[in-house]
Every structure is written in structure tokens, then in C-alpha cells.
Amino acid sequence: MQVDQKSAMEGVTARWPDRIWVVRHGQSAGNVARDHAEAEGITLIELEHRDADVPLSALGERQSAALADWVGKMPEADRPTVVLVSPYVRARQTAEAVAAVLGHPSNALIVDERLREKEFGVLDRYTSSGIRATFPELAEQRKLVGKFYFRPPGGESWCDVILRLRGVIADLQRSHVGANVMVVGHQVIVNCMRYLLEGLDERAILDIDREGDVPNCGVTEYRASDAGDALELVATNFVPAELAQQGRTGAPDTPAGAR
């Protein structure tokens, strides 16, 4: 699949990193807490941390190590040379595992707040049933408007996330042309990056979202054309064999209902 992109400035042809991998973090402790809340019919997900500080689960740590093992087996010339990461703990822990295999100190990671999880506002930590019970009017509004445009009070829509990611894309074109770049973020980040890099529309990206959740440590990969002025989609939600051996989860980040 060839993805043609043009710079927004004066019609100049955009140039790209040689390779881009967009990766979702490993399973988080929030996934485990969410599963318990949903199974027990609990309205509010119980977590001891704010969302930004939720760490990986034990499985998530193994998944991150397996992702790093996969990266370490790449030919040296093909390995990531730049790692961009969300500031959230679960994403940083995933990226740090990769950085260790690459021989990069953790402080060499480029932590970018624009890659943070979608902000859920007043719906934060509520289960799907909890949202319907506690915020019935918001649940109806979300159903009418759709998740792409719906913005909960104090939170973000997918469009808001896409707006901040446009700056990330511009930085890739400006500062990392010719590099091998890995981006470690969250499920909505992966989908919204695909929306931008592949030139999709609302219907197309929501159809992709409905197909299933982005696997934890799943990889979406792009390569630049020989001229460097277009991207080729290589794989979507690819799960390396090393990761599959650890067990895979496709559970959405907490809170499940607001995603």
C-alpha cells in the first residue's frame, strides 16, 4: 500500500524517516483492574495510581521484554535509531525495554507528551456500564455523535488527539528524515497515527477500530519509498513470534467504555 503525503507548506513534497514503527505498550495493571470491574459489574475501576502512573502488569513486562528481543534480532542497520514515547509509565516501561536492547540509556528516549493517552475527562475510570448508569445523557450523546467527534467534559475527542499528533508527524518530517523511528504509545494513538500516515477518513479508521483492539506490543510498520517522499504500509498490528509466546492481550486501556 503506497501512502502519498504532501507537506502543508507550499506544496513541497514531504520526506520521511526510512522506517516507522508505531507500537502499543504492553498490558497494564489497569487492564487487569478493568477486567475485574467489568466481571463484577462494578461502576468505577479501582486503581491506586492516576492513569499516567499505571505501570505494566507482570504479563506486560514479559511482553515488553519479548518486543525488545524481537528488535534485538533485527539486522543492526534495520534497528530503531530514534525512540519516541508517551510520558505515561506503562509506555515508558515498554520503550525502556527496547532501549536497553539497543544499548541506549533510558534518558535517550524522546518523551513526548503529545503521545499521551486520550484524556477521558469526567468518564475517567468508569466501566461501560458505569458510564451508562452514571452519565446517561453523555452516553446518548456519544452514541449520536460517535467516538471520533465526541468530547467528554474535561476530556478529548479522537479529533483532539489527531490535532496534537499532526505536530508529531511534522517533527518526523523535519527532524528524523532517513532515521528508523519507533513510536510507543497507546491504542488510540496507534489508530490516530494510522489515520494521519495513511490519509484515512472517519469511516475508515472507525471500521479499523471495530475490527478489534490493537494488541499489546502490536506493531504497525511503514517504510519510505526509494525517493523518501512517500510511505509504504508494511504491516498492521503485527505480533512478533517472541511476543506471541508470552500470550497476547487485545484489551483496551482503562477506562474501556470511553475509548
Side-chain angles (χ1 to χ4, degrees):
M1 175 179 177
Q2 193 81 354
V3 184
D4 293 321
Q5 296 283 352
K6 295 291 184 179
S7 169
M9 296 179 61
E10 300 178 359
V12 176
T13 300
R15 292 187 58 79
W16 294 95
D18 282 349
R19 300 179 77 171
I20 301 172
W21 299 272
V22 186
V23 183
R24 185 186 177 202
H25 61 76
Q27 185 199 56
S28 73
N31 297 145
V32 178
R34 184 223 54 184
D35 289 344
H36 171 74
E38 293 283 5
E40 298 296 323
I42 298 172
T43 297
L44 196 63
I45 299 168
E46 295 183 7
L47 291 171
E48 60 178 308
H49 306 285
R50 62 176 182 158
D51 192 29
D53 296 328
V54 171
L56 293 175
S57 66
L59 174 58
E61 291 176 351
R62 296 195 301 272
Q63 290 170 332
S64 299
L67 174 69
D69 186 42
W70 173 71
V71 170
K73 291 176 180 177
M74 293 179 180
E76 187 170 355
D78 294 338
R79 296 174 186 171
T81 54
V82 176
V83 181
L84 306 177
V85 61
S86 159
Y88 282 31
V89 169
R90 55 192 180 272
R92 292 190 64 164
Q93 288 177 317
T94 303
E96 285 167 358
V98 173
V101 166
L102 295 173
H104 299 169
S106 59
N107 61 7
L109 298 172
I110 301 176
V111 180
D112 193 325
E113 76 286 344
R114 295 172 297 183
L115 296 172
R116 70 188 183 277
E117 176 60 289
K118 174 182 176 289
E119 296 179 358
F120 300 102
V122 298
L123 303 184
D124 189 25
R125 300 196 180 201
Y126 282 88
T127 60
S128 299
S129 60
I131 292 172
R132 291 191 295 270
T134 310
F135 305 100
E137 292 183 358
L138 289 179
E140 284 300 313
Q141 183 185 18
R142 182 178 183 272
K143 182 178 179 181
L144 174 65
V145 175
K147 69 167 67 175
F148 192 77
Y149 291 110
F150 174 71
R151 179 189 294 133
E156 294 180 300
S157 67
W158 278 39
C159 288
D160 294 321
V161 176
I162 289 166
L163 180 60
R164 51 177 155 98
L165 290 180
R166 289 188 185 279
V168 175
I169 300 298
D171 285 349
L172 292 179
Q173 296 176 340
R174 178 172 55 249
S175 302
H176 302 296
V177 172
N180 295 334
V181 181
M182 178 169 283
V183 179
V184 182
H186 309 267
Q187 169 152 293
V188 175
I189 293 297
V190 173
N191 282 334
C192 289
M193 286 287 286
R194 289 194 61 185
Y195 172 88
L196 290 169
L197 293 175
E198 297 171 36
L200 304 178
D201 59 17
E202 176 192 5
R203 176 176 295 181
I205 193 58
L206 292 185
D207 283 346
I208 288 171
D209 181 64
R210 279 188 288 269
E211 290 174 1
D213 296 312
V214 177
N216 290 112
C217 288
V219 180
T220 294
E221 180 181 355
Y222 303 87
R223 293 184 183 178
S225 64
D226 290 341
D229 59 350
L231 290 179
E232 177 184 353
L233 178 63
V234 177
T236 60
N237 297 337
F238 168 70
V239 177
E242 293 84 353
L243 180 61
Q245 294 170 6
Q246 296 300 324
R248 55 182 290 186
T249 58
D253 290 343
T254 180
R259 182 173 59 84

